[in-house]
Amino acid sequence: MTHTDGVRGPGRHTAGRELPWDQDNHPRSPELSEPLAPDASTTARPTGTAALDDRYGRTPDRRKRSRLFGVVAAAAIVVVFAAWVIWAGLDQSSHGLDNTEVGYTVVSEHQTVVHSQVSVDPGTEAKCAVQVLDKGYAIVGWKVITLPPSDQRTRTVTTEVNTATRGVTGLIHDCWVP
């Protein structure tokens, strides 16, 4: 019998080859594979957890290295945290420095008076930067003042600041112990 459409048997053939999608893809199909006979290579393989450990390289040496890496990483984190605590807490000498803005008075187009309170440990000299801002929040006046040592912790400070243009607010930008 002659086929004119190029089809022979159960699948289509092109130039003498059977196309892969025409094969029987059943898992037990004899066309695709022969059943494996048990031999030494398949019966000697470890089973269960040992097989997985071998397959993925989990050995006792690797476990020791992983544990050592974890201990070193944890120790490094503890050292960095301890250094930060020492730097942030013990090494910083703020002398209890704090400031509060009480108010301001615009005296003229070129002068503003800033009223504030500064708290610092008694007997400690402090410096503060006082600034005046315009309506666009640009700095139009700046002055650094020195507060001499005093026996009082909190002092009221009044600072006259000359400005380039009219200021709309005045405040202490920062205070520090020299």
Side-chain angles (χ1 to χ4, degrees):
M1 176 167 157
T2 306
H3 295 281
T4 57
D5 62 354
V7 176
R8 274 187 291 186
R12 296 184 69 188
H13 292 271
T14 304
R17 289 187 340 193
E18 186 171 336
L19 297 175
W21 58 80
D22 293 330
Q23 293 179 356
D24 183 14
N25 288 325
H26 190 270
R28 299 282 184 206
S29 173
E31 293 93 18
L32 294 178
S33 64
E34 294 297 321
L36 294 173
D39 60 359
S41 66
T42 58
T43 56
R45 289 185 185 166
T47 59
T49 307
L52 291 175
D53 288 346
D54 287 345
R55 179 183 296 165
Y56 296 110
R58 295 184 293 222
T59 63
D61 290 339
R62 188 172 182 113
R63 281 188 214 114
K64 288 178 186 175
R65 275 189 306 239
S66 296
R67 188 173 299 139
L68 178 64
F69 177 74
V71 168
V72 168
I77 289 170
V78 167
V79 167
V80 168
F81 181 74
W84 177 78
V85 166
I86 290 169
W87 175 80
L90 304 177
D91 191 40
Q92 297 292 321
S93 54
S94 66
H95 298 281
L97 189 59
D98 190 25
N99 64 69
T100 306
E101 287 80 28
V102 176
Y104 62 92
T105 305
V106 177
V107 177
S108 68
E109 287 290 319
H110 298 289
Q111 190 174 40
T112 301
V113 177
V114 179
H115 309 282
S116 54
Q117 286 186 338
V118 177
S119 299
V120 65
D121 290 341
T124 305
E125 179 182 284
K127 290 191 176 201
C128 295
V130 181
Q131 67 183 11
V132 176
L133 307 174
D134 68 1
K135 62 182 176 182
Y137 301 106
I139 298 172
V140 294
W142 180 275
K143 186 174 188 179
V144 176
I145 59 170
T146 301
L147 302 173
S150 172
D151 56 347
Q152 296 178 347
R153 172 156 172 71
T154 302
R155 297 177 252 179
T156 302
V157 179
T158 301
T159 309
E160 294 180 3
V161 181
N162 294 327
T163 61
T165 60
R166 183 174 184 81
V168 297
T169 188
L171 55 113
I172 292 182
H173 174 70
D174 193 17
C175 288
W176 62 94
V177 175

